Amino acid sequence: MADVRDAKLDFTLKELTFSHPAKHEDVPGSSSTVELQDNKLVCVEYPGVFSSADRMLATLGSEQKVTKTYANPSKRLELRYRPQDPFCHSLYGNRVASGNLLLRVRRRVRKNDPKDAEIHMDMLGVIGTTYKFTGLADFQCLAVHSEGGKHTSLYDKIILRKPESQEFFEQPMPYFLPPPIFSRLDSPVDYFYRPDVHLNQMLGDSKNFIGLNRAGRPHNAIFVSFTDPIVPAECLEAAKVTWKRICMNECDKRGEEQLKKMFESRPIWSRNAVKANINLHPDKLKLLLPVYAYYMVTGPWRSLWVKLGYDPRKTPEAKKYQMLDFRIRCSSKHGYLLSNIPIKAKRSSLNYSLPNTLNKLAPQPASVMDLPTQEGPSSSRDPAPVTYQLKESSYIFREGMLPPHRQMFYQVCDLDVESIQKEIEQNNGNEQHCDERDGWCVVGTTDKLRDMISAMIKAVIRAQKPALPELPKRRRRKGQSVKDVYAEEEEDEVGEDENREDEEEDEEDEFQPSEGSENEMETEILDYM
């Protein structure tokens, strides 16, 4: 194939029509050769007529924001017709692939002889991406209060344009709490709230009917609660059939052998621990785990995978495999705030995107068997092989290290600290009862372990960053009596006590969950629903 830069495109001008309707004449055309420039361009089909390019770019959020949106293929291009209004609901453009050419045509006409015209054409580049605004704008809501036939603007009362005093925040204000979006869809859909009889009949007759909603995933995992009397000894037959169907290459068989040996050496594993020891695609690992283990939902082994036939409630040796839900404690009482801790949260509300701001996901593999493998010879030009293995710090804790996230799910055997292991083994040989909260350990052990880990993490953070500065002591002003100073100090002490109580209450609300967070467990359970 010839180089794109050397490509030539021939255009034939068949007819030229002049602007004056009464004096148009046909002019025979001629061929012209235009050089195709190798410039990649992005087109935005702007839904409006504009006279100022700067004002048009302001509605798109500036040229930098358009560039940032283009860098993320999953984002839709946002357009705000009132960019200065924070309550303006946006219009979103879909990103579509295109193969258009941008052609610039210039016509020069002599003033004395209109028939004498010159046509100049330049090919500026190829448009590979186009943003099209095909949807409707969301419902608009102005910050206006209507009462008694009068409309009052609320923008100056609810938008901070400069530093304000306390009176600004204490002034009476009508309620104005519009939602971030009114509709998840920007394309009209005809829905008459009537059941589709024909659809229901087809669903009842055929199991392979392709409907509008995703069918439920095959339920191959077995969930067990702490109160269930028995545990399963074998997996579901569907789990074996599914894994045999997708186990097509050597890396899958090698991963199966590794997982089998792991459960023979240790009957209980967390998902992160398995991912850190097996380099297997998460979607395939999700189908392999139910073949060798069941999932505990409640109790001291919640959110863990237990070997089939193994009941940790009847074996005191299973104490070392219990789960500890640990969360980093940070408040002004501890001397550190969230911003002072160099550890990121697993999930952040700041990264949340509204559903109407995202494009549909790119086409995924048709099945799990189409996923890339780690096999085959590779050359220097091939990209580096993809690894799905997690780091060791994702499930192991050692003294002097910081956890990768603010909330961690550790198994007590993975707490590689001598003092912690002594606390766990203090009742070895004297285990009498398996408690739903503390398992085979002494009652209250989980809280002690959290305190010990928190103290170790605090020492590491304190060595990296100094604590918050203390407030200076109050001095007596001129003309102020000692009695007034004592009165102010008493008020400050009362205020500090109240603040300390509030902080303790907030801390209890935030770090009390001895039962653990269900977010991680719900995320894993949803994979099998």
Side-chain angles (χ1 to χ4, degrees):
M1 295 180 61
D3 191 3
V4 179
R5 299 178 180 176
D6 299 335
K8 302 290 184 180
L9 297 180
D10 294 334
F11 293 90
T12 300
L13 303 180
K14 295 183 178 180
E15 183 179 0
L16 290 177
T17 303
F18 293 95
S19 60
H20 197 284
K23 298 181 180 180
H24 70 278
E25 295 181 5
D26 293 340
V27 178
S30 61
S31 62
S32 176
T33 302
V34 181
E35 182 181 358
L36 178 60
Q37 301 291 336
D38 189 16
N39 296 328
K40 296 181 180 180
L41 304 176
V42 178
C43 175
V44 177
E45 296 183 359
Y46 191 80
V49 180
F50 60 89
S51 58
S52 173
D54 295 336
R55 294 180 61 185
M56 181 271 296
L57 285 175
T59 60
L60 296 175
S62 74
E63 186 176 352
Q64 288 76 12
K65 188 173 182 180
V66 176
T67 304
K68 186 177 180 180
T69 303
Y70 174 74
N72 189 351
S74 63
K75 286 288 187 180
R76 305 174 76 190
L77 184 60
E78 182 181 9
L79 186 149
R80 301 168 66 91
Y81 282 117
R82 305 189 310 277
Q84 303 300 329
D85 185 0
F87 301 103
C88 175
H89 282 186
S90 305
L91 181 67
Y92 292 95
N94 295 321
R95 174 174 178 160
V96 296
S98 60
N100 303 326
L101 303 175
L102 181 59
L103 180 66
R104 180 173 62 189
V105 180
R106 292 176 293 181
R107 184 171 64 94
R108 301 178 62 184
V109 182
R110 292 183 180 275
K111 296 181 179 179
N112 300 330
D113 188 4
K115 295 181 181 181
D116 187 5
E118 294 181 359
I119 303 296
H120 297 276
M121 294 184 297
D122 296 321
M123 191 67 66
L124 301 183
V126 180
I127 301 175
T129 303
T130 303
Y131 287 94
K132 297 184 177 182
F133 293 86
T134 58
L136 300 174
D138 198 5
F139 301 100
Q140 300 299 315
C141 185
L142 300 178
V144 175
H145 178 64
S146 302
E147 185 177 2
K150 296 182 179 180
H151 305 286
T152 306
S153 175
L154 302 177
Y155 287 98
D156 295 334
K157 299 181 180 180
I158 60 179
I159 297 179
L160 287 175
R161 305 184 187 276
K162 60 180 181 179
E164 300 287 352
S165 60
Q166 185 68 22
E167 288 77 11
F168 176 84
F169 300 96
E170 295 178 351
Q171 62 180 339
M173 182 64 55
Y175 291 110
F176 181 74
L177 300 173
I181 56 173
F182 286 94
S183 176
R184 294 173 59 91
L185 305 175
D186 52 12
S187 298
V189 178
D190 293 331
Y191 188 72
F192 301 104
Y193 296 95
R194 290 181 296 185
D196 192 342
V197 180
H198 180 65
L199 176 62
N200 294 336
Q201 290 177 354
M202 295 186 68
L203 287 174
D205 297 339
S206 175
K207 295 182 179 179
N208 297 325
F209 178 74
I210 299 177
L212 298 177
N213 297 327
R214 176 186 60 80
R217 298 182 179 93
H219 186 71
N220 297 332
I222 302 176
F223 301 118
V224 177
S225 300
F226 183 80
T227 56
D228 292 344
I230 58 176
V231 298
E234 294 184 357
C235 67
L236 299 178
E237 187 64 25
K240 296 181 180 179
V241 173
T242 303
W243 177 248
K244 288 182 180 180
R245 180 171 54 85
I246 69 168
C247 184
M248 303 293 292
N249 44 56
E250 289 298 326
C251 69
D252 297 338
K253 296 178 182 178
R254 186 165 56 251
E256 182 181 3
E257 290 296 328
Q258 290 178 354
L259 185 67
K260 185 178 180 180
K261 293 180 181 179
M262 287 174 61
F263 277 105
E264 289 176 354
S265 61
R266 171 172 158 179
I268 303 177
W269 290 84
S270 65
R271 183 176 60 171
N272 282 350
V274 174
K275 287 184 177 181
N277 288 273
I278 295 180
N279 187 20
L280 193 64
H281 194 282
D283 290 341
K284 291 188 176 182
L285 182 62
K286 180 173 60 178
L287 300 176
L288 178 60
L289 278 171
V291 179
Y292 293 96
Y294 63 90
Y295 190 79
M296 287 290 288
V297 180
T298 58
W301 297 276
R302 62 185 175 275
S303 72
L304 300 178
W305 290 92
V306 185
K307 182 181 178 181
L308 290 169
Y310 183 82
D311 192 350
R313 300 168 298 180
K314 299 179 181 179
T315 309
E317 288 77 10
K319 172 175 62 176
K320 58 184 177 180
Y321 303 123
Q322 292 177 192
M323 195 272 294
L324 177 68
D325 179 7
F326 173 76
R327 309 180 189 187
I328 293 181
R329 302 171 180 176
C330 48
S331 64
S332 56
K333 176 185 178 181
H334 295 89
Y336 297 95
L337 301 177
L338 284 174
S339 57
N340 301 117
I341 296 181
I343 303 175
K344 296 182 179 180
K346 289 184 179 179
R347 303 171 183 87
S348 174
S349 59
L350 299 177
N351 297 329
Y352 174 75
S353 298
L354 295 174
N356 57 349
T357 63
L358 300 176
N359 275 323
K360 292 184 179 180
L361 295 177
Q364 299 295 326
S367 65
V368 184
M369 293 181 288
D370 297 334
L371 293 171
T373 62
Q374 304 293 325
E375 298 178 340
S378 61
S379 61
S380 58
R381 295 184 180 181
D382 295 336
V386 181
T387 177
Y388 307 106
Q389 225 166 333
L390 297 180
K391 296 181 179 179
E392 191 182 58
S393 59
S394 62
Y395 74 102
I396 291 181
F397 177 80
R398 295 186 177 90
E399 189 172 4
M401 66 175 290
L402 293 177
H405 303 288
R406 294 174 186 169
Q407 181 182 9
M408 296 295 298
F409 295 92
Y410 291 115
Q411 289 182 260
V412 294
C413 62
D414 295 326
L415 300 175
D416 192 7
V417 180
E418 184 178 357
S419 58
I420 292 180
Q421 293 300 324
K422 288 182 180 180
E423 187 69 27
I424 298 170
E425 298 170 356
Q426 60 178 330
N427 65 334
N428 277 2
N430 298 322
E431 298 92 344
Q432 300 295 332
H433 172 68
C434 181
D435 183 63
E436 186 173 0
R437 182 175 180 272
D438 293 290
W440 293 106
C441 297
V442 178
V443 176
T445 301
T446 54
D447 293 331
K448 291 182 180 179
L449 297 182
R450 292 190 183 103
D451 294 338
M452 296 172 69
I453 298 176
S454 296
M456 297 176 188
I457 294 177
K458 189 189 298 184
V460 176
I461 297 176
R462 186 167 296 171
Q464 295 180 358
K465 292 186 177 182
L468 296 177
E470 298 182 359
L471 296 177
K473 295 183 179 180
R474 186 184 301 275
R475 295 183 179 181
R476 188 175 66 177
R477 296 189 299 270
K478 236 180 209 185
Q480 186 180 23
S481 63
V482 179
K483 184 178 181 181
D484 295 336
V485 174
Y486 286 152
E488 288 185 3
E489 289 180 354
E490 289 178 0
E491 291 177 359
D492 292 342
E493 290 177 358
V494 172
E496 289 177 0
D497 293 337
E498 292 176 353
N499 293 335
R500 191 177 299 111
E501 292 176 0
D502 293 340
E503 290 172 1
E504 290 176 356
E505 291 176 0
D506 293 341
E507 181 189 346
E508 290 177 358
D509 293 340
E510 187 176 359
F511 300 107
Q512 189 184 4
S514 300
E515 296 302 323
S517 171
E518 297 180 355
N519 292 338
E520 198 81 8
M521 186 167 59
E522 287 178 357
T523 302
E524 194 162 357
I525 290 177
L526 287 176
D527 290 339
Y528 299 92
M529 301 300 292

